[in-house]
Amino acid sequence: MMYRRPAFCALLVIAAFLLLTTAFPGVPSSWAGSQRTGMLKPVPAVPLPDCWQHFRVLIWPYKTDIIGDLPLYRRLGLGGFQIDRGAGKNDQVKLAGAERFPYYVGHVANKGILYLTGDNIKKVTGRRDLLQRPYSLADPEVIKLLKHHLQRNITDTRTGPVLAYAFDDEISLGRFTNPADVDTSKASLDWFREWLRDSYGSITALNTEWGATYKTFAEVVPIGFEKVRKSVSRKPLSHWNLAPWMDFRHFMDFQFAAVLADLTKEANRLDPLTPAGFVGGQAPAPWGGYDYAMLSRSVQWMEAYDLLGTNELLRSWWNRERRPRMQTFFSSGNPKRDSWFLWYYYLHGNQGVICWPQGWFTRKGGRKTIAPHIRELEKTFRELQGPVGGILADRRARFAPDPIGIYYSHPSVQASWVMDALVHGRTWPRRFSSIDNENQSTGLLRNVWGKTLEDLGYQYDFISYLDVLEGRADLSRFRVIILPKTVCLSQKEARALESFVRQGGILVADYLCGVMDEHGRGRQSGVLDSCFGLVRDEMAGYLGGSGLAEIDGEQWEKPYEKRFPAYQGALRYNGLPIFERGLRGEGLARQNKKVKSHIRSVVPGLNCMVKNKLDKGRTVYLNLDPLLYWSPKYRFGDFGDVWRQEVGCILKNAGLQKRVVISIDGKVEPAVMLEALWWKNDNKRYLGIIKNPTLQQKLDQERKKGKVDFGVTGPATVLQLHFPELVRLINMRTGKDMGVGTVFRDGFRPCEGNLYEVKEEKSRKISAVGE
């Protein structure tokens, strides 16, 4: 039977769309043009259609196509494919409808505009000056051209079983997240000045922040990074002023996201049933337009490379509305490694994967055949796209974290990048995304904090700085909030975080917290210093005294743990580097009896940890740098043991309890390298268990050479699950009811995941797990 999209569904979705627009007062009723000023308003989600109700394995048409290879796709158990662009592809749409074989449409905004190509790449690569972007996104003619492509491509594909529309692949203001100080075209500068006027209100306010003397906003011009680098390289942080550069970068992130939101709304106008977004998302960075707090508001689905926490950022902010997240699947050639990858991202809530089929099909005797290492994945493909794959992909399923929040501050990403890039001197334009992804301190700290909590048996949500600024964030749902190298904080954010503490919350920071405002202007004291109960002497320096950059990106070719020359001579607490050498607890510095700071000192007068009480809550300022935790050698060594012990004590003192403890042969996390992921669907609770290795690009290269084993290819073993209360456990893969109890044993294959339904039994609580 030919697939047709029922007309009444379109009417229902349009009605729901209008209701959502009404529910968000900030969302304009007119869909014409990009938002020009203010906080970026979120585009409403599109309710997921039935074809999204289980995990999807989609194939990209690299040296393959549905017209000739559909029988191979069926034999392999694939769940869909990509139509490129769409205009004139009626034969593929017709076949997909007849075969009920869904697709997403790629490059609906064409190639070469959102993703620059050819000579245009050279215009935005390796340059130290301010640049005009080819195809300026502030140019109305460029937007008109993009919408023209949407019209052509969506109109020809919307009648079939379409899953989503992708504007383009690996989109960017420049090239990936390579440094590129765009866009200084006239239209973009005019927009920038309009945005500044709205943000600051008066030219006096801007001059005060920038240290400038402009008479009108019409005179204002941004400052490029090269000038910023020279101005701050030898100054203490309190004298830094990054505002003229950071405001421009923040505006360009806003421009990028606003244009994407406009394109999303245009795609919805053409087809209100189907989500619109993009694929090939990059890591959070000050370049390229990759402020994920903004991007999460501008599109309705995304396939983002899992770099520097992107998957969990989107999971946190798209959990309630359930916007689809996907991953690109590149086969490693090892079926066990590939099976683990698919299970890992399914249990983390991804709606599917897009497969890059290089080497998947070979020709023998004039016929295409499936490569053996891919044929071995058929069972995994089919299981994840069957009933098991529908459990967590259900539109009503929601991730259920512990009450722990990790703060995402994109201004801090920008300011911290400046510190990271100082090691390069004039060669900073060569800090390409491939280098930054492996050496960006804020991004790697984001990974470290996530892995630390997972290793301790907890889950978490990220908190968007935009939500806090707008008062949209419900901080009361958290017991603990963590601030990882949150260099930049506004007064409004600080007040919200302090209020969280005063009402009984636990606030934790590692180092350099709040030493700059949201524009990147240095402060004499951190905006939360009184909350944390500390004082600073920045003239004492940082780490070993050689500079601010923890990781030396100039040494990117060395193993990860060899890129930390700044640690030489650093003071340490049980092996953990102390970052701020001149930090002291206020109680010790002033002998103030009203503010009691509980401190641990390494040398007299120096504090590596400051604990403070504030009304009903508490704060902990660690002043410890845990970046080496991203190295498996340190994560699973003494360094990791000390770090986890400190963080674990904070969480335990906050009253948090693990919902399950997993062991193998008497060994528990992190020795068994297992992650517990909790989900809920109405009154049902689900528990996923998966191997949780450290994923580094260079480690992955070593793995391909057979030098590194992530621990996912080993033999089957037996898990022991310890719950703090009586539960009934049901294995959702086998259907086995494992009965009622607090301790269960079950089989486990490291290359796969386990999934259980956990039913509470009415009974008194027993002693806490693990005690």
Side-chain angles (χ1 to χ4, degrees), residues 657-660 722-726 742 765-769:
Q657 183 185 38
K658 300 178 187 180
R659 288 175 279 183
V660 65
H722 305 247
F723 294 91
E725 56 192 8
L726 286 173
T742 58
K765 272 197 172 185
I766 61 172
S767 60
V769 173

Side-chain angles (χ1 to χ4, degrees), residues 493-504:
E493 291 171 280
R495 286 194 298 269
L497 292 167
E498 183 172 329
S499 175
F500 163 77
V501 176
R502 291 187 181 278
Q503 295 174 32

Side-chain angles (χ1 to χ4, degrees), residues 308-344:
L308 306 183
T310 57
N311 195 52
E312 305 312 314
L313 288 169
L314 292 175
R315 187 265 301 157
S316 299
W317 302 330
W318 285 359
N319 194 30
R320 182 174 63 85
E321 294 180 317
R322 198 56 196 257
R323 304 185 186 208
R325 291 174 287 123
M326 300 190 77
Q327 289 293 316
T328 299
F329 170 51
F330 300 95
S331 174
S332 67
N334 184 319
K336 288 187 174 181
R337 170 73 166 81
D338 292 348
S339 172
W340 168 83
F341 180 96
L342 296 166
W343 274 101
Y344 179 89

Side-chain angles (χ1 to χ4, degrees), residues 279-585:
V279 296
Q282 304 294 300
W287 310 101
Y290 279 90
D291 178 341
Y292 270 82
M294 290 195 196
L295 291 176
S296 67
R297 296 179 171 199
S298 66
V299 295
Q300 296 159 331
W301 82 287
M302 195 188 304
E303 180 272 303
Y305 302 134
D306 193 5
L307 300 167
L308 306 183
T310 57
N311 195 52
E312 305 312 314
L313 288 169
L314 292 175
R315 187 265 301 157
S316 299
W317 302 330
W318 285 359
N319 194 30
R320 182 174 63 85
E321 294 180 317
R322 198 56 196 257
R323 304 185 186 208
R325 291 174 287 123
M326 300 190 77
Q327 289 293 316
T328 299
F329 170 51
F330 300 95
S331 174
S332 67
N334 184 319
K336 288 187 174 181
R337 170 73 166 81
D338 292 348
S339 172
W340 168 83
F341 180 96
L342 296 166
W343 274 101
Y344 179 89
Y345 285 105
Y346 168 62
L347 292 178
H348 278 254
N350 284 252
Q351 215 76 23
V353 294
I354 299 171
C355 305
W356 178 255
Q358 186 172 9
W360 281 35
F361 305 109
T362 58
R363 285 197 175 275
K364 288 186 178 180
R367 296 178 58 190
K368 267 189 180 180
T369 61
I370 302 170
H373 69 283
I374 298 300
R375 194 165 56 244
E376 287 190 44
L377 294 174
E378 177 189 350
K379 181 181 176 182
T380 302
F381 287 159
R382 293 191 184 280
E383 182 177 10
L384 285 175
Q385 294 177 107
V388 169
I391 295 171
L392 304 186
D394 188 297
R395 65 170 67 95
R396 298 163 299 179
R398 300 290 182 269
F399 191 72
D402 291 282
I404 303 171
I406 304 178
Y407 206 76
Y408 176 83
S409 162
H410 198 75
S412 298
V413 173
Q414 296 168 327
S416 179
W417 190 92
V418 176
M419 302 176 197
D420 293 343
L422 289 178
V423 300
H424 302 294
R426 285 174 50 84
T427 66
W428 61 268
R430 306 291 297 177
R431 187 184 171 99
F432 296 146
S433 58
S434 57
I435 295 175
D436 197 54
N437 293 342
E438 294 288 311
N439 297 278
Q440 188 197 107
S441 58
T442 49
L444 291 169
L445 272 172
R446 196 178 305 122
N447 284 349
V448 163
W449 276 105
K451 277 287 185 280
T452 300
L453 296 172
E454 292 159 8
D455 288 345
L456 288 167
Y458 298 99
Q459 289 294 338
Y460 51 89
D461 262 352
F462 282 100
I463 301 168
S464 163
Y465 77 102
L466 291 181
D467 288 346
V468 175
L469 283 171
E470 292 181 313
R472 294 162 56 97
D474 178 16
L475 300 185
S476 66
R477 70 187 180 95
F478 299 107
R479 179 63 182 149
V480 176
I481 292 178
I482 297 165
L483 306 176
K485 199 181 181 182
T486 308
V487 179
C488 298
L489 281 171
S490 66
Q491 291 287 348
K492 189 169 185 179
E493 291 171 280
R495 286 194 298 269
L497 292 167
E498 183 172 329
S499 175
F500 163 77
V501 176
R502 291 187 181 278
Q503 295 174 32
I506 312 299
L507 188 63
V508 182
D510 41 32
Y511 51 93
L512 292 183
C513 182
V515 296
M516 294 182 178
D517 68 15
E518 68 273 31
H519 303 279
R521 187 183 180 98
R523 293 182 168 115
Q524 292 297 321
S525 59
V527 69
L528 284 172
D529 282 4
S530 61
C531 182
F532 282 109
L534 54 88
V535 293
R536 310 168 190 269
D537 175 12
E538 67 176 340
M539 301 312 294
Y542 308 99
L543 294 172
S546 60
L548 279 165
E550 305 96 309
I551 309 172
D552 186 350
E554 286 287 293
Q555 303 186 35
W556 60 272
E557 292 182 293
K558 293 183 178 181
Y560 178 74
E561 57 269 18
K562 302 294 185 181
R563 302 177 212 155
F564 292 83
Y567 285 177
Q568 296 177 13
L571 298 163
R572 293 178 181 265
Y573 168 72
N574 286 351
L576 304 180
I578 294 173
F579 195 91
E580 301 177 60
R581 298 175 67 92
L583 185 130
R584 304 190 307 281

Side-chain angles (χ1 to χ4, degrees), residues 26 28 30 32-41 136-141 143 183 185-199 247 250-262 265 294:
S30 171
S34 301
Q35 182 184 336
R36 302 282 295 184
T37 59
M39 293 286 188
L40 188 73
K41 301 176 178 73
S136 171
L137 298 181
D139 183 348
E141 291 302 313
I143 304 305
D183 172 22
S185 66
K186 182 182 184 306
S188 185
L189 287 180
D190 287 346
W191 189 355
F192 177 47
R193 291 159 182 154
E194 179 185 350
W195 180 84
L196 285 173
R197 184 182 295 108
D198 179 78
S199 299
D247 279 354
H250 187 64
F251 163 73
M252 289 307 304
D253 291 339
F254 173 84
Q255 181 189 105
F256 190 63
V259 167
L260 291 176
D262 185 29
K265 290 179 283 189
M294 290 195 196

Side-chain angles (χ1 to χ4, degrees), residues 115-126:
Y115 173 90
L116 298 174
T117 57
D119 289 340
N120 284 334
I121 295 173
K122 299 176 183 177
K123 296 177 182 178
V124 296
T125 302

